Amino acid sequence: MKRIATLAVFALAAVGSPAFADGPTTPPHTHDATTHAPAGPELGIPAQAMPAVAVVERFSAALAAGQLEAAGAELDPNVLILESGGAERSAAEYLGGHAKGDAAFLQTAHIQLLRRTAQVSGDLAWVASESELHLSKDGKPVTVLSTETMLVQRSDAGWKIVHIHWSSRTKAPGDHH
């Protein structure tokens, strides 16, 4: 289960989000005649943070598609990735190791982005996401609560991810997101 929780964090930003205006945005609830559709994610993305959020989304989408070269293009060569008490200290270390397993895992999970917020200060931005991952383990449904923080830095090369922190746990009965 630890590997599921560890891999779950990679799915946080794997779902894209539309462009947003300044300030927090919460998409409206949608309904049909017979069922209530789940509300969209709660988003707090100021306009100046959108380029950094786009980097996070491109990275996550590429990883989920198994396109490791494209995912790596969004990482600073010296990115520091922290998860489950471990560290990977470069893009090469991550892409040569865990990235392959993470990409394979993401293809087995349904990702539901719950919340995302971001802020920019000068050439640094942080993007924080909360998600639920729905998957099957040993033929039984499992829901994993996952959080992600990415630090993105602007340079002459554009915005690049310089730090990632992933954390997740299996959702227990009665947990609320």
Side-chain angles (χ1 to χ4, degrees), residues 14-63:
V15 293
S17 60
F20 303 99
D22 284 305
T25 303
T26 303
H29 295 272
T30 57
H31 304 284
D32 67 25
T34 58
T35 62
H36 291 271
E42 183 180 314
L43 302 165
I45 313 293
Q48 69 267 27
M50 287 308 298
V53 170
V55 168
V56 169
E57 290 176 349
R58 285 192 307 266
F59 169 79
S60 299
L63 189 62

Side-chain angles (χ1 to χ4, degrees), residues 9 65 102 105 124 149 158-159:
V9 295
D102 295 339
F105 169 80
L124 289 174
T149 303
W159 288 95

Side-chain angles (χ1 to χ4, degrees), residues 72-80 90-92 153 155 160-163:
E74 304 301 336
L75 298 173
D76 181 85
N78 297 311
V79 65
L80 174 62
S90 71
Q153 185 172 28
S155 70
K160 297 291 180 184
I161 299 166
V162 295
H163 174 64

